């Protein structure tokens, strides 16, 4: 089968389509025939060597939507089940940008019935990232949350989920995104480039990676969470500072899939590319300005 991998670090040109064996599921695992797989910034980071692994062949892709076609011992799911899943790890030889992928059952959940595979494939990494970031913040209903980079994939899902949790959400993004973000649950809006009021929020989910500027917007004793471990600012003023290390969670992903079925979580697709054009898809991602994810289709 074919898979997108890198054996050297670099720009989009480093992505190779290679021939690899079809994986075999072990105990507690399922094999998914990939129908669609989203391309995320973490894939670009892996390709460029941010997470190391020099000298290895590294598989790309974390998100997947498809159909189970084989199961290992001790698995309740059956071939034919339509699922979404999350493959985590920075140095795995095979990711989801492939024709088949094997995942632990704890990483797999039923796909939303109302979404096609291309849209469903955008959900696992981005919705789990938003949900688990909100868990780290641990805000209470009625408290105020600022989401930077709110129009991005993680940021927009954070706005949706925080609104459902009863938080007062302020979205920081491009002025062109204000109407969209208010429709997803933002009560207040800040245009990008406007400095947030110091100490104005109980918590900040810093999807834009503003760092110290975003931290300054948190009240004394509040909470801050960033999306890239190691890049978060140093704590100050009693503010709890955390960074997301996203993990697979089948039960939570199933809950998020149900929210997508009800339209409370919106899947956004910017473009699709055949798997064979993975390098071109990476080049488009590098240009920026996307609203929604690029999705690869084997």
């Amino acid at each position: 089968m074919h898979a997108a991998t890198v054996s050297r670090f670099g720009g989009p040109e480093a992505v190779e389509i290679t021939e690899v064996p079809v994986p075999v599921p072990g105990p507690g695992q399922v094999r998914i025939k990939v129908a669609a797989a989203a391309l995320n910034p973490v894939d670009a980071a892996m390709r460029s060597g941010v997470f190391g692994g020099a000298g290895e062949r590294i598989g790309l892709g974390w998100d997947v939507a498809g159909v189970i076609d084989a199961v290992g011992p001790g698995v309740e799911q059956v071939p034919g089940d339509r699922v979404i899943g999350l493959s985590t790890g920075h140095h795995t030889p095979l990711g989801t940008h492939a024709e088949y992928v094997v995942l632990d059952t704890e990483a797999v959940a039923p796909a939303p019935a109302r979404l096609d595979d291309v849209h469903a494939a955008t959900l696992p990494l981005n919705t789990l990232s938003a949900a688990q970031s909100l868990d780290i913040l641990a805000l209470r209903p009625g408290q105020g949350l600022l989401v930077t980079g709110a129009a991005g994939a993680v940021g927009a899902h954070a706005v949706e989920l925080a609104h459902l949790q009863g938080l007062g959400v302020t979205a920081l993004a491009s002025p062109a995104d204000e109407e969209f973000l208010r429709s997803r649950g933002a009560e207040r809006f800040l245009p990008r480039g406007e400095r947030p009021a110091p100490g104005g929020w109980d918590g900040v989910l810093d999807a834009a990676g503003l760092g110290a500027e975003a931290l300054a917007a948190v009240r004394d004793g509040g909470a801050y969470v960033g999306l890239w471990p190691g890049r978060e600012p140093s704590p100050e003023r009693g503010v709890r500072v955390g960074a997301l290390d996203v993990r697979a969670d089948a039960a939570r992903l199933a809950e998020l899939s149900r929210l997508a079925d009800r339209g409370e979580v919106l899947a956004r697709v910017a473009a699709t590319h055949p798997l064979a054009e993975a390098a071109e898809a990476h080049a488009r991602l590098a240009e920026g300005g996307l609203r929604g994810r690029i999705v690869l289709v084997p």
Side-chain angles (χ1 to χ4, degrees):
M1 71 166 191
H2 295 102
T5 66
V6 291
S7 59
R8 59 184 177 87
F9 298 135
E13 72 284 350
V15 178
E16 304 173 78
I17 302 299
T18 53
E19 187 75 26
V20 299
V22 175
V24 177
Q29 294 183 322
V30 299
R31 185 172 68 205
I32 299 169
K33 181 175 174 55
V34 178
L39 174 65
N40 291 285
V42 68
D43 297 304
M46 292 170 63
R47 181 204 74 220
S48 58
V50 169
F51 302 111
E56 304 176 33
R57 181 167 292 280
I58 299 170
L60 300 174
W62 288 44
D63 281 324
V64 64
V67 174
I68 293 174
D69 88 316
V71 302
V75 173
E76 294 183 0
Q77 287 106 321
V78 297
D81 285 353
R82 185 167 170 262
V83 295
I84 54 176
L86 179 65
S87 173
T88 57
H90 300 118
H91 302 139
T92 58
L94 179 65
T96 63
H97 294 170
E99 294 177 290
Y100 293 87
V101 67
V102 165
L103 296 179
D104 293 339
T105 56
E106 283 304 307
V108 174
R114 71 189 297 265
L115 297 187
D116 60 29
D117 291 317
V118 168
H119 285 79
T122 69
L123 294 175
L125 177 60
N126 296 294
T127 60
L128 283 171
S129 293
Q132 292 173 11
S133 294
L134 291 172
D135 291 345
I136 294 169
L137 289 169
L139 299 181
R140 300 184 303 278
Q143 290 191 299
L145 171 69
L146 173 66
V147 180
T148 73
V154 176
H157 289 317
V159 169
E160 295 168 328
L161 297 175
H163 172 68
L164 292 174
Q165 292 178 12
L167 302 180
V169 183
T170 301
L172 190 158
S174 166
D177 295 307
E178 179 175 1
E179 182 178 352
F180 165 72
L181 289 166
R182 287 189 182 277
S183 76
R184 303 315 299 166
E187 296 178 4
R188 297 171 58 197
F189 182 83
L190 284 178
R192 188 170 58 215
E194 181 175 321
R195 185 177 295 274
W201 288 269
D202 298 296
V204 171
L205 197 163
D206 188 17
L210 301 183
E213 181 181 339
L215 181 66
V218 183
R219 65 165 174 80
D220 294 359
Y224 166 102
V225 64
L227 300 183
W228 292 86
R231 299 185 185 178
E232 65 273 20
S234 299
E236 60 178 46
R237 300 178 290 108
V239 175
R240 289 187 294 107
V241 172
L244 175 70
D245 186 7
V246 68
R247 64 190 184 281
D249 182 336
R252 192 68 170 280
L253 186 55
E255 174 190 338
L256 293 162
S257 180
R258 289 191 290 271
L259 290 176
D261 255 334
R262 297 201 294 266
E264 294 177 304
V265 165
L266 180 66
R268 293 182 294 161
V269 174
T272 60
H273 285 262
L275 177 62
E277 297 178 3
E280 289 88 338
H282 275 253
R284 177 62 188 92
L285 178 65
E287 294 174 4
L290 296 172
R291 293 297 181 263
R293 288 292 182 231
I294 295 172
V295 178
L296 299 178
V297 179

